Amino acid sequence: MAHELIRDFWANPNLNVSLSFTHFVERLIYTYKDWGSDPHVFDVFFQVLVEAGMLNEARKLFDKLLNYGVTLSVDSCNLYLTRLSSNSDMLGMTIKVFSEFPQVGVYWNTASYNIIMNALFRLGKLKEAHNLLLRMELKGCIPDVISYSTIINAYCHVGDLQKVLLLVKEMQTKGLKPNSYTYSSIILLLCRSGKVLEGKHVLSDMINEGVFPDNVIYTTLIDGFCKLGNIQAAFKLVDEMNSLNVAPDIVAYTALICGLSQSGKIMEADRLFSEMLSKGLKPDEFAYTALIDGYCKSGMIKKAFSLHNEMVQIGLIPNVVTYTALADGLCKHGELDTANELLHEMRRKGLQLNVCTYNSIVNGLCKAGNILQAVKLMEEMQEAGMHPDAITYTTLMDAYCKTGEMVKAHELLREMLDRGLQPTIVTFNVLMNGFCMSGMLEDGERLLKWMLEKGIMPNATTYNSLMKQYCIRNNMRGTTEIYRGMSGLGVMPDSNTYNILIKGHSKARNMKEAWFLHREMVEKGFKLTASSYNALIKGFFKRKKLLEARQLFEEMRKEGLVAEAEIYSLFADINYEEGNLETTLELCDEAIEMCLVDKAKNGNK
């Protein structure tokens, strides 16, 4: 009641604050000196001043009271610390107050240390914050769950998972159970690190400990699974949310729409968008952008622009990501002029273009063969104060490599390094592919050697380019050496690796090796391409292994893959000689339909 009386008095709009403050303080002190009033009155007045944002007046009151031997309560001082720390410009003042107040009789408690640890973290002083946690007990303050959660959250923000796990273990040994905030920070860190499955395990531990997960935790995991492309796991979490009566919000729906769009499931994304509307959730610019991006990636540009117009009509302002998605879609659709117009429109609207916007159009120009225009756009990008990134350079290098201009591609790599940009594995793979396509195998091998010397780990794509070129040259010894080197480094072969090796060995009539590799890739869940099947079948025919060839031909047909006309002809002859007239005619019909009709259609296109 006392708090309300003072608050209502100071909320009076007709009050002259500067004059009234001095007078009010004097009257309040008078009651204390002459009438022996309760000193808690000063705490109440101090708290009202802090809540009203009158921090300078609050400090003046604190200093004046010291002259009368009155020290305010630690709870009031904590409120003052909290209000100071809520303003990022006053974080330094918060630390200063924390060090000064004990000198005049304020005894800080655990809550005080928690406020300061958070302030230190926001100032970028994580070590000092952690040291404060360690020193708390020496000052007679026992760290609580909030103390540990504050430091855990800080280490989560900087991505130090090892420190986080040690702190969780430490708090558990002290009998403290992680709370929802602790778990939320850990799950967010794991998802950002791509360890979404581990994040899901943490959620299970959390539920087992009786801590109720909120919307934010579920949304973090849903977003993580969507970014990994595991949409099924994301929807399982939605079902789990619904069973716990935790309703997905606009952020969760946006993550799901984005995941479906990225996976090419645009119709499902659209249905989800409609479901969101039916539940009374109003989509924001991010939800619209996710769906627009999906339609652009699916080549449905008209629908994407229709959604853009719809969001403008309901008062939403498209952001740079929206326009980047539209520009990227136009480029992939071959509408480069319209994409450039869109770029100029973005500038007119005062939108700060980002690197992704420029990269989309650079990529579109390169794919259309307009490399000179792409280079010019990169120069414009630099003039606009936007620095090209590794993707910009890699895109241009790829274009030069595909046209066999390896000198220009190499010059771009040098320029990239001079600018302090770190090439990605994609950059090196682009160069490797360029060297191999240009028949510059020695340069490709030198690049691989340089990568290994610099500690840059090649992947399967790096090796595939070299192996493919050696196979083309019928040098299976060289191919095998590269494959062994790849295996020796622990680089796992992918589907392309197996298909390249199988075709190479089949062409060289090394059918034992080819058959072994075929079995191995099937066991690993990879599939043969039509060209690999054709190569294997021809190889077995040449080795007079008709049983294996027939088995592969039937397998190929079941997979719905088209064999070469030559192979249909061979099996038609075999079946005719065996007296299987019905099968012979069936193969002839299939050959006409698959080989001749499809070829004619493609020719007309």
Side-chain angles (χ1 to χ4, degrees):
M1 181 64 78
H3 190 282
E4 282 179 25
L5 282 167
I6 297 175
R7 187 193 62 207
D8 291 346
F9 174 74
W10 285 93
N12 185 352
N14 300 317
L15 191 69
N16 186 324
V17 173
S18 58
L19 289 173
S20 300
F21 173 73
T22 307
H23 181 72
F24 194 91
V25 170
E26 284 173 2
R27 295 294 88 200
L28 210 59
I29 289 170
Y30 169 74
T31 64
Y32 174 69
K33 285 196 306 181
D34 293 6
W35 294 354
S37 65
D38 194 319
H40 280 104
V41 172
F42 297 119
D43 270 303
V44 173
F45 181 41
F46 182 81
Q47 287 169 18
V48 169
L49 290 171
V50 171
E51 286 165 7
M54 298 167 67
L55 300 180
N56 289 333
E57 286 81 2
R59 181 60 195 259
K60 283 175 188 175
L61 176 63
F62 180 89
D63 293 338
K64 197 170 184 74
L65 290 172
L66 291 176
N67 297 327
Y68 296 96
V70 176
T71 306
L72 293 174
S73 70
V74 68
D75 290 337
S76 295
C77 293
N78 281 345
L79 181 65
Y80 183 56
L81 282 179
T82 304
R83 281 302 171 100
L84 282 172
S85 65
S86 66
N87 186 336
S88 54
D89 294 330
M90 299 186 81
L91 289 171
M93 177 60 73
T94 313
I95 308 300
K96 192 180 177 189
V97 166
F98 183 76
S99 62
E100 284 178 354
F101 274 27
Q103 296 167 26
V104 292
V106 176
Y107 295 97
W108 296 122
N109 60 15
T110 301
S112 322
Y113 278 92
N114 293 345
I115 296 161
I116 296 303
M117 283 190 289
N118 188 46
L120 284 166
F121 161 61
R122 285 168 61 203
L123 281 168
K125 298 179 178 181
L126 180 49
K127 272 190 179 178
E128 288 91 328
H130 195 172
N131 286 336
L132 202 63
L133 176 74
L134 302 171
R135 293 204 312 268
M136 276 177 73
E137 289 189 56
L138 299 173
K139 299 285 183 180
C141 295
I142 307 299
D144 60 8
V145 176
I146 296 168
S147 313
Y148 275 99
S149 294
T150 302
I151 302 301
I152 285 168
N153 179 54
Y155 277 116
C156 284
H157 271 278
V158 297
D160 195 336
L161 183 60
Q162 196 174 358
K163 281 259 171 60
V164 168
L165 297 174
L166 285 169
L167 280 162
V168 170
K169 197 174 180 181
E170 188 182 308
M171 73 183 287
Q172 287 172 334
T173 57
K174 292 190 175 186
L176 296 169
K177 284 187 176 182
N179 60 15
S180 180
Y181 180 70
T182 323
Y183 283 116
S184 181
S185 299
I186 295 166
I187 289 168
L188 180 61
L189 171 61
L190 290 167
C191 288
R192 278 180 180 166
S193 309
K195 298 177 179 179
V196 189
L197 204 58
E198 288 90 331
K200 178 70 175 71
H201 294 322
V202 172
L203 175 69
S204 302
D205 293 341
M206 177 182 179
I207 294 167
N208 292 336
E209 289 290 330
V211 181
F212 192 72
D214 61 9
N215 196 296
V216 176
I217 288 172
Y218 274 111
T219 301
T220 301
L221 284 165
I222 287 166
D223 185 53
F225 277 120
C226 285
K227 280 174 180 167
L228 286 180
N230 193 344
I231 310 298
Q232 194 177 356
F235 274 100
K236 275 186 183 177
L237 283 167
V238 174
D239 293 339
E240 194 177 305
M241 281 177 84
N242 291 327
S243 70
L244 293 169
N245 292 321
V246 180
D249 62 7
I250 186 74
V251 183
Y253 271 104
T254 301
L256 289 164
I257 290 165
C258 191
L260 289 167
S261 295
Q262 295 294 327
S263 305
K265 298 176 181 177
I266 190 60
M267 291 300 110
E268 289 178 43
D270 197 89
R271 277 196 294 272
L272 201 65
F273 190 83
S274 300
E275 182 188 305
M276 183 174 69
L277 292 169
S278 68
K279 290 191 174 181
L281 291 168
K282 289 184 179 179
D284 56 14
E285 63 270 28
F286 301 106
Y288 267 104
T289 298
L291 196 59
I292 285 168
D293 187 42
Y295 274 113
C296 286
K297 281 183 167 61
S298 301
M300 300 165 77
I301 306 298
K302 280 186 180 178
K303 178 65 179 174
F305 271 98
S306 170
L307 280 165
H308 163 266
N309 296 337
E310 186 183 303
M311 71 184 287
V312 170
Q313 282 167 11
I314 61 170
L316 292 173
I317 300 166
N319 57 30
V320 70
V321 183
T322 319
Y323 282 111
T324 300
L326 289 166
D328 190 47
L330 287 166
C331 286
K332 284 173 181 170
H333 213 246
E335 297 182 43
L336 296 169
D337 292 336
T338 315
N340 264 318
E341 282 172 28
L342 194 67
L343 195 70
H344 293 306
E345 186 188 323
M346 289 167 75
R347 285 180 185 141
R348 282 195 302 273
K349 286 185 175 180
L351 282 169
Q352 186 67 46
L353 304 185
N354 61 23
V355 179
C356 294
T357 320
Y358 281 103
N359 284 349
S360 294
I361 300 175
V362 167
N363 185 46
L365 289 165
C366 286
K367 282 186 176 168
N370 301 333
I371 304 176
L372 288 174
Q373 209 175 328
V375 172
K376 191 182 174 185
L377 185 62
M378 189 168 87
E379 288 166 1
E380 280 179 31
M381 180 180 176
Q382 291 175 80
E383 285 166 14
M386 197 70 60
H387 299 291
D389 62 5
I391 296 170
T392 324
Y393 277 100
T394 302
T395 304
L396 280 166
M397 283 163 66
D398 186 43
Y400 279 128
C401 287
K402 281 172 180 168
T403 56
E405 297 177 83
M406 293 309 298
V407 174
K408 286 184 178 178
H410 207 260
E411 281 172 6
L412 277 172
L413 177 65
R414 288 190 182 281
E415 187 183 316
M416 187 179 174
L417 294 167
D418 290 343
R419 287 177 177 268
L421 287 169
Q422 186 66 43
T424 65
I425 188 64
V426 178
T427 316
F428 289 113
N429 287 346
V430 160
L431 269 176
M432 179 66 79
N433 190 48
F435 282 132
C436 293
M437 280 173 66
S438 301
M440 301 164 71
L441 265 179
E442 293 77 13
D443 294 88
E445 287 187 328
R446 274 198 292 271
L447 178 63
L448 178 63
K449 189 181 176 185
W450 182 84
M451 284 172 72
L452 295 170
E453 284 170 359
K454 296 290 179 184
I456 300 157
M457 190 64 178
N459 60 16
T461 307
T462 323
Y463 286 100
N464 288 348
S465 296
L466 282 165
M467 285 189 285
K468 188 177 180 181
Q469 199 55 228
Y470 270 107
C471 286
I472 288 167
R473 294 187 178 195
N474 297 322
N475 186 347
M476 292 314 295
R477 184 177 287 180
T479 308
T480 304
E481 280 176 20
I482 293 164
Y483 182 61
R484 281 176 183 162
M486 172 183 171
S487 303
L489 283 172
V491 178
M492 298 303 291
D494 61 10
S495 178
N496 284 339
T497 314
Y498 282 110
N499 279 296
I500 288 163
L501 288 169
I502 287 166
K503 281 187 279 188
H505 281 299
S506 297
K507 193 178 173 185
R509 299 193 192 182
N510 302 329
M511 299 318 295
K512 279 187 180 179
E513 289 86 347
W515 186 248
F516 172 79
L517 286 162
H518 166 243
R519 289 182 62 183
E520 189 178 295
M521 79 178 289
V522 169
E523 283 168 11
K524 289 185 178 180
F526 295 125
K527 289 192 174 182
L528 277 170
T529 60
S531 58
S532 296
Y533 270 113
N534 287 327
L536 268 170
I537 293 164
K538 283 181 186 177
F540 279 119
F541 256 118
K542 285 169 185 173
R543 285 284 186 183
K544 308 292 183 189
K545 302 274 187 180
L546 298 184
L547 189 68
E548 288 87 345
R550 179 171 273 172
Q551 184 185 328
L552 283 163
F553 180 60
E554 292 307 319
E555 190 182 297
M556 185 181 187
R557 289 172 73 202
K558 279 179 189 174
E559 290 288 334
L561 297 171
V562 181
E564 289 176 5
E566 182 191 342
I567 289 171
Y568 274 111
S569 180
L570 286 166
F571 280 104
D573 288 345
I574 290 167
N575 278 282
Y576 181 75
E577 285 169 12
E578 289 173 351
N580 301 325
L581 192 60
E582 193 178 330
T583 307
T584 305
L585 291 170
E586 185 188 318
L587 288 172
C588 286
D589 287 342
E590 197 175 306
I592 291 164
E593 187 186 340
M594 295 291 193
C595 302
L596 301 177
V597 176
D598 281 358
K599 194 175 180 182
K601 280 182 184 175
N602 292 329
N604 290 333
K605 283 178 186 176

